[in-house]
mmCIF file of all heavy atoms in Angstrom:
data_model
loop_
_atom_site.group_PDB
_atom_site.id
_atom_site.type_symbol
_atom_site.label_atom_id
_atom_site.label_comp_id
_atom_site.label_asym_id
_atom_site.label_seq_id
_atom_site.Cartn_x
_atom_site.Cartn_y
_atom_site.Cartn_z
ATOM 1 N N ALA A 6 -15.422 42.245 -22.057
ATOM 2 C CA ALA A 6 -15.227 42.990 -23.282
ATOM 3 C C ALA A 6 -13.939 42.594 -24.023
ATOM 4 O O ALA A 6 -12.978 42.380 -23.307
ATOM 5 C CB ALA A 6 -15.231 44.483 -22.925
ATOM 6 N N HIS A 12 -4.207 48.996 -33.230
ATOM 7 C CA HIS A 12 -2.967 49.471 -33.690
ATOM 8 C C HIS A 12 -2.248 50.342 -32.598
ATOM 9 O O HIS A 12 -3.050 51.209 -32.055
ATOM 10 C CB HIS A 12 -3.094 50.240 -35.009
ATOM 11 C CG HIS A 12 -3.598 49.439 -36.148
ATOM 12 N ND1 HIS A 12 -2.758 48.855 -37.065
ATOM 13 C CD2 HIS A 12 -4.794 49.105 -36.476
ATOM 14 C CE1 HIS A 12 -3.502 48.259 -38.010
ATOM 15 N NE2 HIS A 12 -4.816 48.358 -37.576
ATOM 16 N N ASP A 24 1.444 53.304 -42.525
ATOM 17 C CA ASP A 24 0.065 53.215 -41.907
ATOM 18 C C ASP A 24 0.164 54.095 -40.639
ATOM 19 O O ASP A 24 0.676 53.635 -39.692
ATOM 20 C CB ASP A 24 -0.291 51.797 -41.648
ATOM 21 C CG ASP A 24 -1.835 51.552 -41.399
ATOM 22 O OD1 ASP A 24 -2.545 52.626 -41.179
ATOM 23 O OD2 ASP A 24 -2.306 50.541 -41.401
ATOM 24 N N GLY A 149 -19.239 46.108 -43.348
ATOM 25 C CA GLY A 149 -19.316 44.995 -42.354
ATOM 26 C C GLY A 149 -20.699 44.823 -41.775
ATOM 27 O O GLY A 149 -21.499 45.744 -41.472
ATOM 28 N N ASP A 161 -26.375 35.595 -37.013
ATOM 29 C CA ASP A 161 -26.007 35.137 -38.352
ATOM 30 C C ASP A 161 -24.490 35.158 -38.579
ATOM 31 O O ASP A 161 -23.832 34.102 -39.072
ATOM 32 C CB ASP A 161 -26.647 35.849 -39.478
ATOM 33 C CG ASP A 161 -28.181 35.503 -39.668
ATOM 34 O OD1 ASP A 161 -28.451 34.456 -39.063
ATOM 35 O OD2 ASP A 161 -28.813 36.226 -40.328
ATOM 36 N N LEU A 296 -24.273 16.705 -4.134
ATOM 37 C CA LEU A 296 -24.300 18.165 -4.242
ATOM 38 C C LEU A 296 -25.575 18.658 -4.718
ATOM 39 O O LEU A 296 -26.159 19.696 -4.287
ATOM 40 C CB LEU A 296 -23.163 18.602 -5.215
ATOM 41 C CG LEU A 296 -23.048 20.061 -5.379
ATOM 42 C CD1 LEU A 296 -22.623 20.772 -4.030
ATOM 43 C CD2 LEU A 296 -21.980 20.488 -6.382
ATOM 44 N N ARG A 361 -49.443 -0.687 -7.946
ATOM 45 C CA ARG A 361 -50.966 -0.466 -8.276
ATOM 46 C C ARG A 361 -51.568 0.400 -7.323
ATOM 47 O O ARG A 361 -52.814 0.423 -7.154
ATOM 48 C CB ARG A 361 -51.688 -1.798 -8.469
ATOM 49 C CG ARG A 361 -51.162 -2.613 -9.701
ATOM 50 C CD ARG A 361 -52.007 -3.815 -9.824
ATOM 51 N NE ARG A 361 -51.525 -4.561 -10.998
ATOM 52 C CZ ARG A 361 -51.815 -4.278 -12.313
ATOM 53 N NH1 ARG A 361 -52.616 -3.334 -12.557
ATOM 54 N NH2 ARG A 361 -51.280 -5.013 -13.267
ATOM 55 N N LEU A 463 -81.434 51.353 20.914
ATOM 56 C CA LEU A 463 -80.089 51.148 20.925
ATOM 57 C C LEU A 463 -79.381 51.968 19.688
ATOM 58 O O LEU A 463 -78.367 52.651 19.934
ATOM 59 C CB LEU A 463 -79.695 49.681 20.743
ATOM 60 C CG LEU A 463 -78.223 49.361 20.924
ATOM 61 C CD1 LEU A 463 -77.710 49.529 22.253
ATOM 62 C CD2 LEU A 463 -78.019 47.892 20.477
ATOM 63 N N ILE A 504 -108.836 38.008 17.278
ATOM 64 C CA ILE A 504 -108.900 36.574 17.118
ATOM 65 C C ILE A 504 -109.061 35.971 18.516
ATOM 66 O O ILE A 504 -109.940 34.983 18.686
ATOM 67 C CB ILE A 504 -107.682 35.997 16.434
ATOM 68 C CG1 ILE A 504 -107.606 36.533 14.970
ATOM 69 C CG2 ILE A 504 -107.662 34.481 16.437
ATOM 70 C CD1 ILE A 504 -106.378 36.253 14.247
ATOM 71 N N LYS A 510 -115.038 33.825 22.943
ATOM 72 C CA LYS A 510 -116.559 33.746 22.737
ATOM 73 C C LYS A 510 -116.960 32.302 22.424
ATOM 74 O O LYS A 510 -117.916 31.710 23.023
ATOM 75 C CB LYS A 510 -116.969 34.567 21.584
ATOM 76 C CG LYS A 510 -116.998 36.003 21.848
ATOM 77 C CD LYS A 510 -117.369 36.772 20.577
ATOM 78 C CE LYS A 510 -117.266 38.338 20.697
ATOM 79 N NZ LYS A 510 -117.404 39.005 19.353
ATOM 80 N N PHE A 650 -68.354 5.155 0.266
ATOM 81 C CA PHE A 650 -67.231 5.345 -0.724
ATOM 82 C C PHE A 650 -65.802 5.488 0.001
ATOM 83 O O PHE A 650 -64.855 5.772 -0.664
ATOM 84 C CB PHE A 650 -67.458 6.615 -1.525
ATOM 85 C CG PHE A 650 -68.409 6.440 -2.626
ATOM 86 C CD1 PHE A 650 -69.690 6.927 -2.572
ATOM 87 C CD2 PHE A 650 -68.076 5.734 -3.823
ATOM 88 C CE1 PHE A 650 -70.657 6.719 -3.582
ATOM 89 C CE2 PHE A 650 -68.972 5.500 -4.870
ATOM 90 C CZ PHE A 650 -70.190 6.014 -4.746
ATOM 91 N N SER A 675 -38.871 9.352 -20.459
ATOM 92 C CA SER A 675 -37.926 10.401 -20.127
ATOM 93 C C SER A 675 -37.816 11.445 -21.226
ATOM 94 O O SER A 675 -37.854 12.676 -20.838
ATOM 95 C CB SER A 675 -36.523 9.807 -19.892
ATOM 96 O OG SER A 675 -36.706 8.877 -18.831
ATOM 97 N N GLN A 725 -30.574 29.971 -14.570
ATOM 98 C CA GLN A 725 -29.333 29.287 -14.313
ATOM 99 C C GLN A 725 -29.579 27.686 -14.339
ATOM 100 O O GLN A 725 -30.526 27.245 -13.621
ATOM 101 C CB GLN A 725 -28.877 29.646 -12.821
ATOM 102 C CG GLN A 725 -27.654 28.980 -12.399
ATOM 103 C CD GLN A 725 -27.144 29.376 -10.944
ATOM 104 O OE1 GLN A 725 -28.014 29.474 -10.073
ATOM 105 N NE2 GLN A 725 -25.955 29.691 -10.841
ATOM 106 N N CYS A 776 -13.026 12.305 -16.275
ATOM 107 C CA CYS A 776 -14.092 11.900 -15.368
ATOM 108 C C CYS A 776 -15.465 11.838 -16.075
ATOM 109 O O CYS A 776 -16.491 11.527 -15.422
ATOM 110 C CB CYS A 776 -14.201 12.642 -14.097
ATOM 111 S SG CYS A 776 -14.576 14.362 -14.373
#
Side-chain angles (χ1 to χ4, degrees):
Chain A
H12 297 260
D24 193 348
D161 280 349
L296 181 61
R361 293 182 179 278
L463 186 69
I504 294 168
K510 284 179 189 169
F650 282 103
S675 299
Q725 180 179 46
C776 65

